[in-house]
Amino acid sequence: MTAPSTTPMNQENQVTGATVWLTGLPSAGKTTIAYELATRLREEGHRVEVLDGDEIRTFLTAGLGFSREDRHTNVQRIGFVADLLSRNGVKTLVPVIAPYADSREAVRERHQKSGTAYVEVHVATPVEVCSERDVKGLYAKQAAGEISGLTGVDDPYEEPESPDLRIESHTQSVQESAAALYALLAERGLA
């Protein structure tokens, strides 16, 4: 019988977690790129979770509205969960709008304090392209006056000034976008 290893799992298996936050307008392609990347990472044996903004609003932050304060609270809760998962060896992909720079910066600082890798990706799709895609029908509802407060239209979106990666999903395929993000992770020793 051999003695149990005293080496922590992360050191033994070289499991490195990281949070990859994909920010951008509604229908920019954040979630699609995240799931494409997740598939590739899982195929290589990485532990991966996608914290989809819509699912989070249903289960983790139900009851929050879309005021600036509620949006900030939403982003901070997601950031906490992402950091927790990433500190435990999970590649955590977060396709969430996170419209305010100070909210995103607070999440980055949380990760820095815990020593967890954090990558900010701006999926920089123009609002005109997003409104044509209109995956959830939000732009049509806003144009019809059925909803207000649509990020990038009648509610602010503060673009990242210096993201780790800027993806222009309207000029390349989903696979090319995911490959560019994968290349950055590999360059940083995270893939």
Side-chain angles (χ1 to χ4, degrees):
M1 177 179 262
T2 60
S5 171
T6 58
T7 305
M9 184 178 167
N10 281 1
Q11 290 176 350
E12 188 176 285
N13 296 331
Q14 297 299 313
V15 176
T16 303
T19 294
V20 179
W21 198 290
L22 296 96
T23 179
L25 297 174
S27 298
K30 302 176 299 297
T31 303
T32 305
I33 294 167
Y35 279 109
E36 180 72 21
L37 178 61
T39 298
R40 180 170 181 181
L41 290 170
R42 284 185 183 117
E43 286 172 353
E44 294 181 358
H46 295 275
R47 296 167 56 200
V48 181
E49 287 294 335
V50 177
L51 300 181
D52 181 287
D54 292 332
E55 291 177 5
I56 295 292
R57 278 217 174 250
T58 300
F59 299 106
L60 183 65
T61 61
L64 289 178
F66 292 91
S67 68
R68 182 179 177 95
E69 183 180 324
D70 281 357
R71 289 176 191 244
H72 179 77
T73 299
N74 183 51
V75 168
Q76 296 317 297
R77 288 181 185 176
I78 296 168
F80 172 81
V81 172
D83 182 48
L84 182 66
L85 288 168
S86 297
R87 280 187 281 133
N88 286 282
V90 177
K91 301 289 188 294
T92 309
L93 310 181
V94 187
V96 173
I97 295 169
Y100 302 112
D102 60 341
S103 297
R104 294 189 305 265
E105 185 56 30
V107 172
R108 179 185 295 276
E109 288 172 7
R110 169 184 291 284
H111 282 72
Q112 287 172 340
K113 285 178 185 171
S114 70
T116 307
Y118 180 84
V119 177
E120 182 179 74
V121 179
H122 180 206
V123 182
T125 308
V127 69
E128 300 79 23
V129 174
C130 293
S131 73
E132 287 173 18
R133 291 178 180 171
D134 204 9
V135 178
K136 299 170 196 155
L138 298 175
Y139 292 92
K141 287 179 182 176
Q142 190 277 335
E146 296 172 26
I147 63 169
S148 63
L150 182 60
T151 302
V153 178
D154 61 350
D155 210 55
Y157 177 73
E158 299 170 356
E159 290 190 7
E161 290 181 17
S162 54
D164 297 291
L165 179 66
R166 190 175 313 278
I167 293 175
E168 297 190 10
S169 71
H170 59 292
T171 65
Q172 59 191 30
S173 70
V174 171
Q175 293 76 19
E176 290 169 330
S177 296
L181 182 45
Y182 180 88
L184 175 64
L185 294 178
E187 176 184 302
R188 295 187 178 183
L190 301 171

